[in-house]
Amino acid sequence: MELFERPGGGENAVLVQISFNTAKSSQDEREFIELARSAGAEIAGFISGSRQSPDPRHFIGEGKTQEVHDLLLAHDANLVIFDHSLSPAQERNLEKQLQCRVLDRTGLILDIFAQRARSHEGKLQVELAQLKHLSTRLVRGWTHLERQKGGIGLRGPGETQLETDRRLIGERIKQINKRLEKVQNQREQGRQARKKAEIPTVSLIGYTNAGKSTLFNALTQAEVYAADQLFATLDPTLRRVQLPNQQEIILADTVGFIRHLPHDLVVAFRSTLQETIDADLLLHVTDSHDEQRELYREQVNKVITEIGAEHVPQIEVMNKIDLGGQAPHMEEGNGVSPTRIYVSAQKQLGLEMLLEYLGNYFAGQMFRGELNIPPKHARLRSRLYADKAIQTEQISEEGNFRLNVAIDQRRLDQYLQEEGLSLDDLGN
């Protein structure tokens, strides 16, 4: 069996994007190209097509595989990137057929994350996600030993090497998980301290490249890296911001979202996104000049639901109004759609309006008092504990939970609504 040596490099790439029973949209193609460029790839060619379902062996059919091969030779390219998740077998079969490196969407995003991670925690999270992704693809590069799968008389060096690799990866994953646990405990202590000091946390969310980091820098006078590329910011950054009414908030800049963010990556970066889950308010930053803004808004909210932050109130910050010649203004929410504030972070337009709104939002928004909760509403008590909102607890003679509570009024109102209760129902 001929041994295929995988090349180490691979910046000159052919992109492959296939539609399955859906029409391919221009924003899908544009985002895929931006992802590849953000990873440092030079685009040698772009191949698209449609199929009823993926080919189990090569994901694409024989004709498309040959088309990719011809394009590789014509442009002297040495990397093929798929805008899809490939199985380990499909990736391996394609590499053997095309005689070059093949990368799927998850591997591409992981590569970008690896370039962007700056903090100790970010680097650990990237390595953890990479190792988990790699552990399913260990057989690649060992094609000359594929037949030595085990059994009596067949336990050769191939299996020994693969088992060694798996064991080493498993041990490294355990080490990283232990380190991440320590970092996460430190973050949790910081969150607890902020809750005790009653400093609200406001988290910036949004589709990647919407201008979150530019807005963060403008509001905090920080120097977080901001660039016109996908995933310019990966590590969460927190800064204190003083509002016009002298109140302080903590502003958190987090990783941007994209369509079809692989579930494994959402799980791997859950601790990074914890600042979003535990925030008192989300500023959903949207590029007001982008024609696809409504679609992107839906995608962001889908990820917000996936990480369990759908209960956090949102304000929409419509950024980049200077590109459309708009003036700063505000549209009050009506209970169905959230309040929208139109700004330009780059030109520093409308930022005073945004800060003033935040000052009014948090002024008097805390409920502090006693709640008398019957046992049948124990779920409400559990949610208050999860929010670290309970300061003291006693059991009344009637068997009810008497709780001294400090919590954001809006969040309490939401919990009460879901339980079908009012504050009067929980009085003395």
Side-chain angles (χ1 to χ4, degrees), residues 18 44 48 82 138 143 176 203 213 225 242 257 317 326 333 373 399 401:
I18 306 297
S48 61
F82 279 74
L138 274 180
T143 52
I176 293 173
S203 183
S213 295
Y225 179 66
Q242 190 155 343
F257 303 138
V317 179
Q326 289 179 285
I373 301 179
F401 301 107

Side-chain angles (χ1 to χ4, degrees), residues 315-333:
I315 304 298
E316 290 190 358
V317 179
M318 308 300 288
N319 192 25
K320 306 186 184 182
I321 58 172
D322 54 302
L323 299 179
Q326 289 179 285
H329 64 282
M330 183 170 68
E331 296 174 357
E332 284 283 1

Side-chain angles (χ1 to χ4, degrees), residues 373-382 401 419-421 425-426:
I373 301 179
K376 66 179 180 180
H377 293 295
R379 187 176 74 150
L380 174 59
R381 171 177 171 268
S382 298
F401 301 107
E419 293 289 331
L421 295 169
D425 297 327
L426 304 180

Side-chain angles (χ1 to χ4, degrees), residues 81-280:
I81 305 176
F82 279 74
D83 189 26
H84 311 274
S85 292
L86 301 176
S87 71
Q90 287 168 338
E91 206 168 302
R92 188 164 65 250
N93 291 336
L94 283 165
E95 286 189 339
K96 198 181 297 182
Q97 186 89 359
L98 299 172
Q99 292 291 294
C100 76
R101 199 155 59 96
V102 173
L103 199 63
D104 70 353
R105 184 180 175 88
T106 301
L108 174 63
I109 295 173
L110 278 172
D111 185 84
I112 298 170
F113 278 16
Q115 295 179 45
R116 302 285 188 268
R118 295 289 180 270
S119 71
H120 176 60
E121 180 185 17
K123 290 175 181 176
L124 286 175
Q125 286 175 321
V126 170
E127 186 180 353
L128 179 63
Q130 285 178 323
L131 287 173
K132 286 182 175 178
H133 188 62
L134 175 66
S135 64
T136 63
R137 289 159 162 75
L138 274 180
V139 74
R140 291 188 313 176
W142 293 90
T143 52
H144 59 306
L145 302 172
E146 272 184 338
R147 288 173 293 181
Q148 300 185 21
K149 299 278 186 183
I152 297 173
L154 294 175
R155 301 186 215 277
E159 185 175 46
T160 304
Q161 181 63 56
L162 289 175
E163 289 303 320
T164 301
D165 289 347
R166 286 194 185 98
R167 180 174 52 78
L168 291 173
I169 286 177
E171 288 173 359
R172 180 60 182 159
I173 286 174
K174 284 181 185 175
Q175 290 174 1
I176 293 173
N177 278 325
K178 283 183 181 177
R179 291 188 189 178
L180 276 174
E181 194 175 333
K182 287 180 68 175
V183 176
Q184 289 159 16
N185 288 338
Q186 291 167 355
R187 281 195 178 278
E188 183 58 32
Q189 289 171 7
R191 279 191 285 269
Q192 297 283 357
R194 294 199 298 273
K195 282 184 180 291
K196 282 185 179 177
E198 296 182 0
I199 302 176
T201 300
V202 178
S203 183
L204 294 174
I205 62 168
Y207 207 78
T208 188
N209 212 20
K212 291 186 291 72
S213 295
T214 304
L215 179 62
F216 182 84
N217 289 340
L219 292 175
T220 64
Q221 311 303 314
E223 295 183 358
V224 172
Y225 179 66
D228 184 20
Q229 57 185 198
L230 304 188
F231 299 118
T233 303
L234 178 61
D235 302 308
T237 307
L238 282 70
R239 294 286 187 278
R240 285 177 181 258
V241 176
Q242 190 155 343
L243 302 178
N245 62 357
Q246 302 305 308
Q247 185 177 6
E248 280 191 331
I249 62 170
I250 300 292
L251 193 63
D253 186 20
T254 57
V255 62
F257 303 138
I258 60 168
R259 290 177 312 100
H260 312 311
L261 188 62
H263 181 71
D264 289 346
L265 298 188
V266 174
V267 172
F269 285 83
R270 189 175 181 85
S271 63
T272 298
L273 297 168
Q274 196 69 36
E275 298 298 344
T276 297
I277 300 168
D278 291 340
D280 297 288

Side-chain angles (χ1 to χ4, degrees), residues 34-51:
E34 282 301 311
L35 277 172
R37 284 180 176 155
S38 294
E42 293 290 332
I43 312 301
F46 190 100
I47 290 179
S48 61
S50 59
R51 287 180 62 90

